[in-house]
Amino acid sequence: MIPVSEAIKIIERESFALPAETIDLENSIGRILAENIKADMDLPPFDRSQMDGFAVRSNDTKITPVRLKIIGESVAGKGFDQKMKSGEAVRIMTGARVPEGADAVQKIEVTKENDGFVEILEPAKLAQNINKFASEIEKGAKVFSKGEIISEQMIAAIASFGYAKLKVFQKPQVSIFSTGSEIVEIGEIPQKDQIRNSNSMMLKVLAENAGAQADILPQVHDDFETLKNHIAEAVGLKSQVPGPKSQVPKNQSKILIITGGVSVGDYDFTKPVLRALGAEIFFEKVSLKPGKPTVFARLGDVLIFGLPGNPVSVAVTFYLFVRRAILQTQSSTHCDLKRGFAVCSDKIKGAKERDSYLPVSLSTNKHGNLTIESLRFSGSSNFIAFARAEALVFIPQGKNLEKNETAEILFL
Ligand code: AMP
Ligand code: MG
């Protein structure tokens, strides 16, 4: 049994790195930048008015009201090109260039205009209502770095610097299938002893949110030969061929996720099949609750995760391990879930011999603390409780979390 940190190191070591591709900005959410985003211009590109009003010399408005001669106007897209002198004002619109000679903008609400003159009713302070040239960013400065995940909040900034297209790392191909003779597809009516396959769909969505191109393969019954053929086909081995490693094609860097059949039951065939196919198994037991029997292996160029069948274990092990591998193949510099701290609103039991990462929901209390609400997590199969999860709370092996204790959390 290896600690979670060790499992993560192995995943980092074994993950492949995909090349970059150029895509349209509009399709870039969730992708990983393969180039630095640089400012190709100063912003603002000129001293810019924040208000509709009058550009003035602040010294002229020290004593108000004061009457100034309107010598022209500056509108967004067409500024006023003459130099403004003392005693003068230029009508100006939001977003327009502040003319040379002016050093403040007074908003229209405190002005009165008539007959080519404007009365400024309140003093304008130096630089008032002006966004200074290059105060947001200077030309050539780095805005975002290679390896960052593109979020929707970043789009306007990227667009501002002319990146209609941009370089991102290619999506890893992820194939997913579930094992279990009790499993039927979502659209089917489960018969006696059967349940629906919730894992495959969950994994497809999780994998795609991490930037992968994910496909669900048909599910497999608990049968050694069938599973062997299925895995062989999924990794691009000819079915039937029990594989010495050399026969595995080296051209398809991808990730295969299998759920179920990794424990020690009589019908748990994932590990024996991987061995029979000649897979290199990097780990098969992690000091983790839920998710102890997680398997990580490679067959040819295909990284294989064997996750336990329970949907909550699948989710937790995906977040801790598979997500990381998917992001790693895209050279992300943010492969970790965001970490933080929160206060337990109740006692939460850990496990004697394993670290726990339990799904919890979050709230805030009247002291302004982020609090952990246990999900009445009645076991690793409780995916209905899991539906409310917002974080995983970390409980070190052999410990419990007491009420009001501060604990480390990983945001989902
Ligand atoms: P296993 O890891 O195969 O022993 O499965 C553990 C538990 O998870 C069993 O109760 C299974 O019925 C359940 N399970 C396995 N695969 C799935 C699946 N694809 N969807 C929902 N539940 C599953
Ligand atoms: Mg099973």
Side-chain angles (χ1 to χ4, degrees), residues 18 33 36 120 143 147 175 181 187 210 226 291 338 373 380 394 405:
L18 290 164
L33 276 173
N36 293 331
I120 306 291
V143 187
S175 298
S181 300
T226 319
K338 186 177 166 189
E373 316 293 328
S380 51
F394 169 62
E405 189 172 345

Side-chain angles (χ1 to χ4, degrees), residues 83-113:
K83 187 166 174 180
M84 212 187 77
K85 296 195 285 290
S86 182
E88 295 175 344
V90 167
R91 189 183 298 110
I92 194 161
M93 316 297 152
T94 304
R97 169 158 51 85
V98 176
E100 204 187 328
D103 62 12
V105 169
Q106 186 53 288
K107 60 182 178 187
I108 198 152
E109 290 83 349
V110 289
T111 66
K112 229 194 265 170
E113 190 184 334

